[in-house]
Amino acid sequence: MIYFYSYQFLQFLADGLIMTQPPVFQQRDQIRKAIRQKRRQLTVAQQQDAAHKLSARVLHHPKVKQAKTIALFLSFDGEIDTAPLITHLWDLNKQVCLPVLHPFHRHHLLFLRYAPTTQLVKNRFNIFEPPLNVNNIIPISDIDIIFTPLVAFDESGQRLGMGGGFYDRTLENWQRQSFYPMGLAHTCQQVHSLPSADWDIPLPEIITPDKVWRFNEQLIQRN
């Protein structure tokens, strides 16, 4: 039997689901919306200036200078532009890899080698990624630094992502892994405090065009 529902009824159900969300999730959604809007309001000139300042700051980081393989992301939805940084890393003969949606494990990532000649494709979120090729997969044990995107961050290093949990799963127990995680963000993405969930993974460092934020010296020294 097939049931047909009116638009008004479906909207009523959607509103009901939103209203029954725990307050912490409502707060996180509100912050996501506000910060994403801030990012989109940045002018082209502001984005370009931020990207070059960020690149210079990242390249001077001691861990980046020592690293051989670095995972980055291609900017999307107003995220700070990583293209200048990636170009500089290639010039320094660093191996760069990008996240790819895992084809079999939902909400998990693989990391694939990214070279100047790599032909990119769009995933289901319309984000460019390297085409899946087992010959280009880089084991996470071979990655020295994973730079993560984020929507917002606070004064304790808590990171708020888009809500899919991809990077939270990747960063889980990172202290026992070989890689070191850092976030990249616009200055305007910093907030005083974020409502956190049990699965959130705080970052030891986040780099913006204006500052390197260090949140946990013990974790920094351990890696």
Side-chain angles (χ1 to χ4, degrees):
M1 183 178 294
I2 301 174
Y3 293 93
F4 294 94
Y5 299 104
S6 69
Y7 171 81
Q8 290 82 0
F9 179 69
L10 293 174
Q11 188 63 48
F12 170 78
L13 289 178
D15 291 342
L17 289 173
I18 293 171
M19 292 301 294
T20 56
Q21 279 188 324
V24 65
F25 292 109
Q26 293 181 35
Q27 294 170 22
R28 288 158 70 93
D29 287 343
Q30 290 169 358
I31 293 171
R32 282 192 186 96
K33 182 177 181 180
I35 299 301
R36 290 174 70 191
Q37 184 64 26
K38 276 188 177 183
R39 290 191 315 201
R40 295 192 196 106
Q41 290 174 344
L42 294 171
T43 66
V44 173
Q46 288 172 323
Q47 278 278 13
Q48 291 175 344
D49 182 60
H52 289 291
K53 286 181 178 178
L54 180 85
S55 178
R57 201 169 291 280
V58 169
L59 293 172
H60 280 89
H61 196 289
K63 289 187 180 296
V64 174
K65 291 181 179 180
Q66 297 169 3
K68 295 180 180 179
T69 302
I70 298 174
L72 266 158
F73 57 92
L74 296 180
S75 307
F76 177 76
D77 188 43
E79 292 169 341
I80 195 159
D81 186 7
T82 57
L85 173 59
I86 290 172
T87 299
H88 286 303
L89 291 173
W90 282 334
D91 290 342
L92 294 171
N93 293 318
K94 306 284 187 183
Q95 181 169 245
V96 176
C97 54
L98 295 178
V100 172
L101 301 182
H102 200 293
F104 308 121
H105 297 287
R106 187 173 173 82
H107 298 295
H108 285 74
L109 297 173
L110 294 171
F111 290 91
L112 270 70
R113 186 176 293 104
Y114 179 43
T117 56
T118 302
Q119 298 295 313
L120 300 172
V121 296
K122 283 188 177 182
N123 62 27
R124 67 175 184 269
F125 299 115
N126 285 321
I127 299 173
F128 281 107
E129 64 181 23
L132 187 58
N133 183 330
V134 294
N135 295 319
N136 291 328
I137 294 176
I138 297 180
I140 202 163
S141 58
D142 290 347
I143 300 175
D144 299 305
I145 296 173
I146 294 182
F147 282 111
T148 75
L150 53 92
V151 176
F153 70 97
D154 67 15
E155 296 176 357
S156 66
Q158 197 63 253
R159 168 190 172 275
L160 180 66
M162 286 295 291
F166 292 94
Y167 276 94
D168 288 321
R169 289 173 174 81
T170 301
L171 302 181
E172 188 175 13
N173 300 317
W174 67 263
Q175 296 92 336
R176 295 197 287 272
Q177 303 287 341
S178 60
F179 67 84
Y180 185 75
M182 287 188 275
L184 298 179
H186 286 288
T187 303
C188 67
Q189 293 175 240
Q190 192 260 337
V191 300
H192 175 66
S193 179
L194 285 171
S196 61
D198 293 340
W199 56 81
D200 287 334
I201 308 295
L203 295 169
E205 297 186 56
I206 292 173
I207 303 179
T208 67
D210 303 319
K211 183 176 180 179
V212 177
W213 298 77
R214 294 184 172 90
F215 302 103
N216 191 320
E217 290 299 328
Q218 290 182 341
L219 292 179
I220 293 170
Q221 293 169 6
R222 189 182 303 170
N223 287 268

